[in-house]
Each structure stands twice: as structure tokens, then as C-alpha cells.
Amino acid sequence: MDRGTVFVVGAGPAGLFAARKIASAGYQVVIFNRDVKPGGLAEYGIYPEKHHMKQGLRKQFTKILEMPNVTYFGNAPVRETGVLRVGDLRQWNPLALVFAVGAQGTKKLGMPGEDARGVYSAKDYVFYYNQLPPFASQDFSSGRRVAIVGMGNVMVDIARWLLVDMPGEKPEEVTVVARRGPFEVKFDEKEFDHIEMFLDRQVFQEELRRVDERIRACNQDISQVPEKIFPWLNKPATAPGNRRLSFRFLTSPVAIEPDANGRISKLKVVENNLVLEGDTTKAKATDKTTLLDFDTLIFAIGDVADPTVGIPYAKGGYVTNPDTVEPDRAAYEVFDAQAGKVLEGHYVVGWARKASEGLVGKARFDAEHGVDFVLKYLESAAKKLSATPEQIARELARHTDSLVAKQDVALLTLAEEAKARAANRPAFKFSTNQEMLAAIQKEKEGSRAIPKAAA
Ligand SMILES: Cc1cc2nc3c(=O)[nH]c(=O)nc-3n(C[C@H](O)[C@H](O)[C@H](O)COP(=O)(O)OP(=O)(O)OC[C@H]3O[C@@H](n4cnc5c(N)ncnc54)[C@H](O)[C@@H]3O)c2cc1C
């Protein structure tokens, strides 16, 4: 049954699970993905050592790509100013467009010195250590004293990388800088288990005493921190003494001072008070500032949507229908505020809709829920004759010779698995597009070279 074609932009968990649901309803699905490989942050964000989880997700993604009515174009970013624009997609006449491009924009605080060397966004940094091109080949050097701003699971992943798995010389001191206090940590206990052995218990207790009076203003009691938030405090640290993890609470960065080489050397911070607003605590800046010594600073404060994709964008996100009659459906519909109407047939799902919100399961739920509205729309939408995947491939091939099809992804997987086996490692990744494309080519030539009888 061919009911027409829907385009999905982005092949992270949201895009792939959306594609599966649309394809299962009998539509052709054509996916355009920026990266060579599918998977998005499941491939390039989730911690490298979580092999089991990554492998499980890859298997599910492979099955989705194997669906006969799903076409994949990797290495095909959709950008306002690129080879492939939203306008091009529309010319191919899809019944609907589902944007699942994740949150690829960087949240900037707009403070002086933000562009100094050694200052990174967590997204770029995790892309780097998960080997996503081009980040994998860029300078993400860290020094001896690293600050990570934020208290979520991404902070824990980055601290874990720096203290445990990073090859070469590791930092001596990783400091978590947080605008609120110990009761507002956002990470999961089982994630922190990977780094608790580095937590300097004595320094942590001193820090609790430093902020005691200010958090007491919100009826928080530091004596409950070990019991309620940091159970690890009840046992000694076991990590080698030359690497330690500490926290600096009620602290917000306000400026970065670079050294003579343009690398961060000091972070100016402001001390915060903690205030209660309704049920939630808020950080309120005082006028007291302090200079802290750091040679590396990583912002793990969440991301925003990428403004360059070419769909309506405002305040860090794609604009969705403000309609309050059916807010659930409206929240997935892309809205043209200038024209004052919905961009018909354009939808946004996953982290593209709500940046940095939740784990893979949540992105999947969001995508599948969004697709319910897409499918409903398609029931009454005008029928259209869309370009076929072959026509699209031919058109794209006029502009680029490095498109990646789903068969190519399978060949790349074979090449990377062979490399992993040869190196006796659980996984291997090529870290440039050139290497990936060359490996695909080599696999193609290899399979052509096998005599028919042996194949
Ligand atoms: C550091 C980190 C660690 C995490 N660890 C875990 C974990 O352990 N467990 C867990 O369940 N979840 C984890 N998550 C969360 C999980 O990765 C996300 O919930 C999920 O990946 C979001 O899916 P998404 O498809 O919306 O976005 P993404 O995964 O970001 O996928 C976006 C896709 O869109 C593509 N794209 C981007 N721009 C364009 C464009 N212009 N044109 C075409 N394609 C484009 C990208 O190539 C990518 O394939 C982690 C997230 C981070 C940041």
C-alpha cells in the first residue's frame, strides 16, 4: 500500500521512531540526516562506555532503516544556506514534513570572554569525545583545573570522561559550578556512582557550611544532605588522591578572563542567595563577586534549537502553534508568526520541539505522540504526487557526491565492527566523514571483488 510520501528531517531517536510509525501506517518515508550515521545523540551523545545501551538502540534503528518503505539520505543537512533547503524539500511535494533535528544550537550567556579558548558547550564537548565529525578533529583540550557549569546528568558524563576515561593526562580538579544549592542537583544517583569516588568529602562539607546560612533561608538543612542527596558522603572517597571533584554552590559565572594566549585563566562569579518562589527555589544574584582559577570551562546548561534550519524560530526554539483550543496538537505544528498561521503539514518533534528534555524514551514518546497528529492530518490532507526517492537521489547527486544511503550505513557498520574486532575493543568509530566514506567505498569494492560462487 502506498499512501504517499512524508519527509522526516533528522535521524536521531525522535526522527527514527517517527519514521517507523509513519512507515507502519503505509506511507513512504524519506529521511534526511545531517550526520553520515543515524542515531543522533544516541550515537554521539550517550556516554561511550554505555556499549550495551548504544548497541541495543543501534539494533532498533537498523530495523527501522530496513523497512522497505523507508529511504535514508545521510550526510544531507537541511540548512537555510546549504545545498539542501526546506524550500527544496517542499518542491519535492511531500504530504508532510516532520522536523526532528534535535537541539543543535548553543545557549550563550552573553558574558565577556565567552569566546576564550578552553571554553566549550557540553554538546560540542560530548560530540568531540563521542567522535562526531567535525568536532572529533577540533581542539577540545582540557587543562588541570576544569569547571563544569550545571548539575545534571550531562555534567556527570563530562566529569566522568575527564576523571575516568579521557586518554592522556587527566585534570587534577573538576569543579561543578551551580547557581543553586545541594538540594537542587538534577543528576541521577546511579550516574553519579561513576564519579563519587573522586568527590572530596572534606571540601564538600566545607562547601555545605559555606552556603549553610543562605540555603537555610529556604528551609533547607545541610545535615540532611548526606541522607537525602549525597549518600556517598557516608563512606570515604576511594579514588587516587591526585584527581578530585568538588562543588561550588550558589555561584553563577559572569565573566571569563583569558591569559596572554587567549585561553581562560580566571572565571569571575557572582554569589547567589537562594529564595523561595511558590514551591520552587530560585537563585538571586548578590553583588559579591569572586575570581576563581580555571583553565577549562564547560557549560552543561542545556541547549537551544538551531536557528539555521530554515523553519520559523524565536527565543531559542522553533515556533509552534499558540492555539489554546487543542494545545496538545498545536504544540507539534510549526507556526509562521509573520503570516499568523500554521505552516500546513510541517511538524516538529523530540528535542527539536523541547530542547534538552529527557532521555531517549521521552524523545521517542514525543515523536510517536506527534506522529499521531501527523497521521490524523494526513487522513484529510490533499493527495500529492511526491518525487520518488530515486528522483530525489538523482537531484541531490547533482550537488554532492557524498550522500549516504541505508545500504551504505550497513557497510559502514561492518567496517567499524571489523576494526573493533581487530583492535579487540568493544566498539570502533571513524572520526571523520572522509574516513567513513572511504570505508563504505572499500566495503563496496570488497563485496564486488567476491566471486559470485563464494558470495
Ligand atoms: C551528553 C548526553 C548524554 C545522554 N545520555 C543519555 C543516556 O545515557 N540515556 C538516554 O536514554 N538518553 C541520554 N541522552 C538523551 C538522548 O540522547 C536524547 O533524549 C535523544 O537523543 C533526543 O533525540 P532527538 O532525536 O530529538 O535529537 P538528537 O538525538 O539530537 O537527533 C537529532 C538528529 O537530527 C540530525 N540533524 C540535526 N540538524 C539537522 C539538519 N539541519 N538537517 C538534517 N538533520 C539534522 C542530527 O544529525 C541527528 O541525527 C543524553 C543526551 C546527552 C546530550
Side-chain angles (χ1 to χ4, degrees):
M1 172 176 50
D2 181 0
R3 306 179 70 181
T5 304
V6 174
F7 290 175
V8 173
V9 184
L16 289 164
F17 287 117
R20 179 168 77 180
K21 192 159 181 179
I22 299 167
S24 300
Y27 296 91
Q28 289 286 335
V29 177
V30 179
I31 303 175
F32 301 88
N33 192 40
R34 177 197 64 191
D35 305 332
V36 166
K37 276 197 229 177
L41 285 166
E43 182 68 35
Y44 292 112
I46 291 180
Y47 200 72
E49 294 300 307
K50 292 186 179 172
H51 297 294
H52 192 65
M53 179 191 288
K54 286 193 161 194
Q55 213 39 46
L57 286 166
R58 277 188 204 120
K59 270 193 190 148
Q60 295 190 57
F61 298 158
T62 303
K63 279 204 174 133
I64 295 171
L65 290 188
E66 280 171 358
M67 292 174 82
N69 51 341
V70 171
T71 301
Y72 177 79
F73 293 112
N75 210 9
V78 176
R79 292 217 178 90
E80 250 168 2
T81 54
V83 162
L84 183 58
R85 304 172 190 204
V86 177
D88 299 322
L89 301 186
R90 288 191 194 116
Q91 280 187 6
W92 289 323
N93 239 356
L95 294 175
L97 287 139
V98 179
F99 290 87
V101 291
Q104 310 296 334
T106 301
K107 206 188 260 181
K108 290 262 178 186
L109 295 185
M111 60 182 178
E114 220 168 13
D115 295 329
R117 285 179 44 230
V119 178
Y120 314 122
S121 93
K123 170 176 60 65
D124 298 352
Y125 193 74
V126 303
F127 279 165
Y128 155 73
Y129 68 62
N130 270 296
Q131 288 176 278
L132 173 67
F135 301 91
S137 316
Q138 293 171 353
D139 174 21
F140 282 92
S141 55
S142 49
R144 286 179 29 235
R145 294 174 60 85
V146 181
I148 309 175
V149 181
M151 289 203 290
N153 284 329
V154 174
M155 172 281 286
V156 176
D157 274 5
I158 291 172
R160 180 177 171 190
W161 174 255
L162 289 161
L163 292 164
V164 182
D165 293 305
M166 186 175 83
E169 207 172 332
K170 297 177 175 53
E172 288 166 13
E173 173 102 38
V174 172
T175 306
V176 178
V177 175
R179 69 195 153 112
R180 294 190 293 165
F183 287 91
E184 282 84 19
V185 298
K186 289 265 186 283
F187 54 74
D188 294 325
E189 205 174 303
K190 73 175 181 10
E191 298 294 340
F192 200 79
D193 277 344
H194 294 289
I195 52 170
E196 61 81 16
M197 62 294 276
F198 297 97
L199 182 68
D200 187 320
R201 273 60 172 165
Q202 194 186 331
V203 170
F204 190 85
Q205 294 289 3
E206 282 163 20
E207 177 62 10
L208 289 182
R209 284 192 288 277
R210 193 182 72 86
V211 295
D212 181 16
E213 204 180 312
R214 283 182 277 162
I215 68 170
R216 234 186 296 156
C218 287
N219 308 319
Q220 295 178 348
D221 176 359
I222 59 164
S223 71
Q224 292 186 346
V225 171
E227 184 200 330
K228 289 197 166 162
I229 318 281
F230 280 82
W232 310 277
L233 293 173
N234 295 320
K235 57 176 191 166
T238 51
N242 59 348
R243 276 174 272 158
R244 60 183 198 146
L245 174 70
S246 61
F247 279 72
R248 200 165 198 294
F249 295 116
L250 298 184
T251 299
S252 295
V254 286
I256 289 161
E257 294 188 6
D259 65 13
N261 298 317
R263 189 177 180 101
I264 172 175
S265 73
K266 297 211 183 294
L267 179 67
K268 187 173 176 185
V269 297
V270 66
E271 297 289 336
N272 296 327
N273 283 331
L274 202 62
V275 294
L276 259 183
E277 279 185 19
D279 285 346
T280 47
T281 53
K282 291 258 158 77
K284 198 156 188 223
T286 67
D287 53 11
K288 188 172 169 218
T289 59
T290 314
L291 273 182
L292 305 172
D293 287 327
F294 293 114
D295 49 38
T296 311
L297 175 66
I298 302 170
F299 285 105
I301 52 175
D303 298 301
V304 292
D306 173 2
T308 69
V309 169
I311 51 173
Y313 181 93
K315 296 185 199 142
Y318 301 119
V319 184
T320 52
N321 185 358
D323 177 52
T324 50
V325 180
E326 280 187 72
D328 196 21
R329 186 203 68 222
Y332 291 89
E333 294 173 339
V334 179
F335 189 77
D336 181 348
Q338 261 175 349
K341 59 178 188 182
V342 164
L343 265 179
E344 196 189 321
H346 292 55
Y347 293 83
V348 65
V349 296
W351 277 28
R353 193 176 80 83
K354 280 199 165 180
S356 307
E357 176 119 333
L359 299 175
V360 167
K362 191 155 189 179
R364 174 183 173 172
F365 174 84
D366 193 73
E368 292 179 343
H369 189 51
V371 166
D372 288 338
F373 299 113
V374 178
L375 295 178
K376 215 171 214 141
Y377 161 76
L378 292 177
E379 278 170 19
S380 56
K383 295 286 163 258
K384 287 182 186 173
L385 191 60
S386 315
T388 64
E390 295 73 25
Q391 285 167 330
I392 297 170
R394 270 201 302 278
E395 188 69 26
L396 283 174
R398 297 203 316 189
H399 304 285
T400 167
D401 58 0
S402 53
L403 272 186
V404 173
K406 61 183 177 185
Q407 299 83 345
D408 300 334
V409 175
L411 293 176
L412 180 57
T413 306
L414 286 180
E416 291 192 333
E417 283 173 356
K419 283 262 184 199
R421 271 194 308 277
N424 203 13
R425 282 162 42 184
F428 173 88
K429 272 186 196 171
F430 293 107
S431 51
T432 65
N433 282 358
Q434 287 80 355
E435 284 172 298
M436 284 191 256
L437 296 169
I440 292 168
Q441 192 54 34
K442 203 167 156 203
E443 287 290 327
K444 278 183 182 164
E445 285 160 10
S447 54
R448 272 200 293 271
I450 300 172
K452 272 212 174 86

